[in-house]
C-alpha cells in the first residue's frame, strides 16, 4: 500500500511538470478554421444565455467575432496580431462578476467540446486566458 | 441517522429546483466534504469554501459519508453554509461503530472557515484559508478509559490550495497543503490530549488530477498525533470523485488508516454523497 502511494505521488508530481508535445496551441485548436468555428459556436451560445446576453446587447457581432478570432489566434501563438482594444478598455464599466466570468469559461468549454477540441488543448487555452481575468472582472 | 442517509441529497435536489442553486464557481472546483464536515477532500480540509457560491452568492450544502474499514465503521452527515465565498460554517455528526463490541461513539463538530486570500483557479498565489473545528464528544467512556484528558477539543488549521490549468499533460492539477494544530485522538472520537502531551502541529496534503470536467482522481495524506499509549497512525487514501452537475457529487475512496485503538491494518472503503444548492 505504501509503495503504491509512493508511485502514485511520483506519477502525479512528474505529470505536473507539463510536457510540451509538438505543435503550437494554434495548430491544436485547428488553426484559423478551427478557431473560427469555436467562436461562431460561442457567439451562438452567448445569444441564448440569460446570464451573459445582456452584456452583448450593444455589441456589434461582426466586430466581436473578428477581434475574438484574432485574439485567440494571437494568444495561442498563431500568425496574427491582435488589433482590438485592450481588455481593460473593452470591459470597463460592464461590472462583470466572478460568476459571469466563469459562465463565459463554461460556454467557451462547451463551444470547444462541440468542435471536438481535446480536453488538454481546452485547458491549455484556458490557462492562457486566465491571467487576463483581473483586466475583465470588476472594472 | 444512517436510515436517513439518502434523504439529504434528495432533499437538496428538491430544494435546488425550487430556489435555484449558487453556481458561480466552475464545476468540481469546490471539492467535496471531509470527515469533519469542512470543504475538502475526504480526510483533509482544503482552502476552498463549500459549494458553488462566488463573491455575491450563498450556498447551502449537505453530505453523508461512510468509511468502512476492517474492524470499524464511521458514518458522518453534515451541512455547510457558504456566505459570499468568504465564510464557511459547518456542522457534522459522526457516529463511530465498533461492531465486535457493539459499541458506538458519537461526536458533534461545529466548524468555521474563512478565505483569507486568493482564488483557487485565478489568483497568482494559492488560495489561503484559515479554519477552526470545535469537537464535542458525546460518548467519552472509551476516551477516558484510554487516558484522554478532555471530552472536547478545538482544532485550528491553515490551508493553501491551487488548481493549475492544464499543468498535468494538459489536465488540470490540484494540490492542497494544510497545517493543523490539534490534540485530538483519532479525530476526537478517542478524546483529546493525554497525560504529559501537548497540542501539536500536523501536516495534511492532497493532490488530484481532473481527468475531465466531471471526474477527479487523487490521493490524500493526513499526519496524526500519537498521544495515547495505543498506536495512532497517519491516514491516507486514493479517491475518485464524480461531479455530474453542480447539484450533486459522489466520492469513492480506498482508505489506509493504519492502526486504530490496537487493531492494525485498518483498510477499507469510503463512499460520500454531496448535495449543493
Amino acid at each position: 500500500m505504501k509503495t503504491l502511494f509512493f508511485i502514485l505521488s511520483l506519477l502525479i508530481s512528474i505529470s505536473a511538470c507539463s510536457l510540451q508535445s509538438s505543435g503550437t496551441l494554434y495548430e491544436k485548436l485547428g488553426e484559423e478554421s478551427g478557431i473560427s468555428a469555436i467562436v461562431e459556436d460561442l457567439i451562438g451560445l452567448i445569444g441564448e444565455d440569460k446570464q451573459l446576453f445582456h452584456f452583448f446587447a450593444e455589441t456589434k457581432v461582426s466586430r466581436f467575432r473578428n477581434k475574438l478570432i484574432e485574439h485567440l489566434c494571437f494568444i495561442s501563438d498563431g500568425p496574427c496580431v491582435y488589433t482590438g482594444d485592450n481588455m481593460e478598455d473593452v470591459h470597463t464599466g460592464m461590472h462583470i462578476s466572478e460568476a459571469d466570468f466563469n459562465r463565459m469559461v463554461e460556454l467557451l468549454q462547451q463551444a470547444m467540446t462541440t468542435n471536438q477540441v481535446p480536453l488538454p488543448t481546452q485547458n491549455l487555452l484556458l490557462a492562457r486566458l486566465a491571467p487576463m481575468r483581473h483586466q475583465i472582472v470588476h472594472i | 441517522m444512517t436510515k436517513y442517509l439518502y434523504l439529504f441529497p434528495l432533499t437538496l435536489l428538491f430544494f435546488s429546483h425550487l430556489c435555484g442553486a449558487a453556481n458561480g464557481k466552475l464545476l468540481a472546483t469546490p471539492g467535496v466534504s471531509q470527515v469533519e464536515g469542512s470543504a475538502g477532500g475526504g480526510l483533509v480540509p482544503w482552502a476552498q469554501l463549500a459549494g458553488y457560491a462566488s463573491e455575491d452568492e450563498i450556498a447551502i450544502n449537505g453530505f453523508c459519508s461512510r468509511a468502512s474499514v476492517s474492524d470499524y465503521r464511521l458514518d458522518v452527515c453534515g451541512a455547510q453554509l457558504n456566505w459570499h465565498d468568504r465564510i464557511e460554517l459547518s456542522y457534522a455528526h459522526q457516529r463511530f461503530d465498533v461492531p465486535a463490541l457493539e459499541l458506538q461513539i458519537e461526536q458533534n463538530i461545529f466548524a468555521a472557515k474563512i478565505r483569507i486570500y486568493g482564488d483557487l483557479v485565478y489568483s497568482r498565489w494559492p488560495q489561503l484559508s484559515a479554519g477552526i473545528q470545535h469537537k464535542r464528544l458525546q460518548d467519552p467512556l472509551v476516551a477516558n478509559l484510554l487516558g484522554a484528558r478532555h471530552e472536547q477539543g478545538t482544532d485550528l488549521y491553515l490551508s493553501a490550495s491551487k488548481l493549475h490549468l492544464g499543468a498535468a499533460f494538459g489536465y488540470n492539477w490540484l494540490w492542497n497543503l494544510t497545517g493543523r494544530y490539534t490534540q485530538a485522538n483519532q479525530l476526537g472520537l478517542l478524546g483529546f490530549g493525554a497525560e504529559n502531551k501537548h497540542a501539536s502541529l500536523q501536516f495534511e496534503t492532497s493532490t488530484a488530477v481532473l481527468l475531465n470536467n466531471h471526474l477527479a482522481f487523487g490521493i490524500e495524506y493526513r499526519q496524526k498525533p500519537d498521544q495515547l499509549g495505543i498506536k495512532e497512525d497517519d491516514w491516507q487514501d486514493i479517491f475518485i470523485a464524480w461531479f455530474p452537475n453542480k447539484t450533486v457529487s459522489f466520492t469513492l475512496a480506498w482508505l489506509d488508516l493504519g492502526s486504530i485503538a490496537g487493531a492494525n491494518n485498518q483498510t477499507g472503503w469510503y463512499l460520500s454523497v454531496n448535495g449543493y444548492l
Side-chain angles (χ1 to χ4, degrees), chain A residues 45-113:
Chain A
L45 291 169
I46 292 169
E48 291 164 13
D49 192 80
K50 277 184 229 154
Q51 189 179 343
L52 296 186
F53 180 69
H54 72 275
F55 289 112
F56 295 85
E58 288 167 26
T59 303
K60 205 174 156 200
V61 176
S62 60
R63 177 177 162 86
F64 175 72
R65 179 190 293 115
N66 292 338
K67 294 304 163 193
L68 184 56
I69 291 170
E70 207 175 82
H71 201 180
L72 293 179
C73 168
F74 175 69
I75 64 161
S76 63
D77 302 325
C80 311
V81 178
Y82 177 57
T83 60
D85 303 316
N86 73 47
M87 288 295 107
E88 275 175 275
D89 290 347
V90 175
H91 299 98
T92 295
M94 291 179 79
H95 305 292
I96 294 167
S97 70
E98 294 174 357
D100 297 331
F101 186 89
N102 279 342
R103 183 65 192 149
M104 185 60 94
V105 170
E106 288 169 355
L107 295 187
L108 177 58
Q109 287 175 322
Q110 208 180 317
M112 289 193 285
T113 302

Side-chain angles (χ1 to χ4, degrees), chain B residues 195-268:
Chain B
E195 200 64 44
N196 297 322
K197 302 282 183 185
H198 298 283
S200 58
L201 183 64
Q202 306 291 327
F203 286 98
E204 307 174 6
T205 185
S206 318
T207 183
V209 170
L210 280 106
L211 304 173
N212 59 45
N213 294 332
H214 300 276
L215 215 54
F217 173 72
I219 56 175
E220 294 187 291
Y221 191 93
R222 177 167 172 168
Q223 201 183 22
K224 313 246 310 307
D226 186 10
Q227 307 176 114
L228 299 171
I230 48 174
K231 198 165 177 292
E232 176 166 348
D233 282 326
D234 295 348
W235 285 1
Q236 46 201 327
D237 73 83
I238 302 179
F239 69 85
I240 188 146
W242 178 45
F243 302 81
N245 53 48
K246 288 187 185 176
T247 54
V248 66
S249 74
F250 303 91
T251 309
L252 179 69
W254 174 253
L255 302 167
D256 181 355
L257 307 185
S259 181
I260 296 177
N264 293 327
N265 301 321
Q266 297 300 311
T267 55

Side-chain angles (χ1 to χ4, degrees), chain A residues 1-2 4-5 8-9 11-19 51 96-99 101-103 105-106 109 113 119-124 126-127 130 133 137-138, chain B residues 23-27 54-57 85 119 122 165-173 207-213 217-220 236-238 246 254-256:
Chain A
M1 194 71 186
K2 286 246 154 69
L4 184 61
F5 272 107
L8 271 168
S9 330
L11 270 175
I12 291 177
S13 320
I14 292 170
S15 62
C17 318
S18 69
L19 212 83
Q51 189 179 343
I96 294 167
S97 70
E98 294 174 357
F101 186 89
N102 279 342
R103 183 65 192 149
V105 170
E106 288 169 355
Q109 287 175 322
T113 302
L119 186 69
T121 306
Q122 294 190 19
N123 292 335
L124 291 172
L126 294 178
R133 179 177 178 260
V137 167
H138 292 313
Chain B
N23 61 4
K25 292 185 193 169
L26 294 173
L27 187 64
S54 61
E55 57 189 350
D56 49 6
E57 295 172 307
D85 202 27
D119 181 281
Y122 299 111
L165 290 166
F169 299 107
Y171 292 90
N172 296 339
W173 173 51
T207 183
V209 170
L210 280 106
L211 304 173
N212 59 45
N213 294 332
F217 173 72
I219 56 175
E220 294 187 291
Q236 46 201 327
D237 73 83
I238 302 179
K246 288 187 185 176
W254 174 253
L255 302 167
D256 181 355

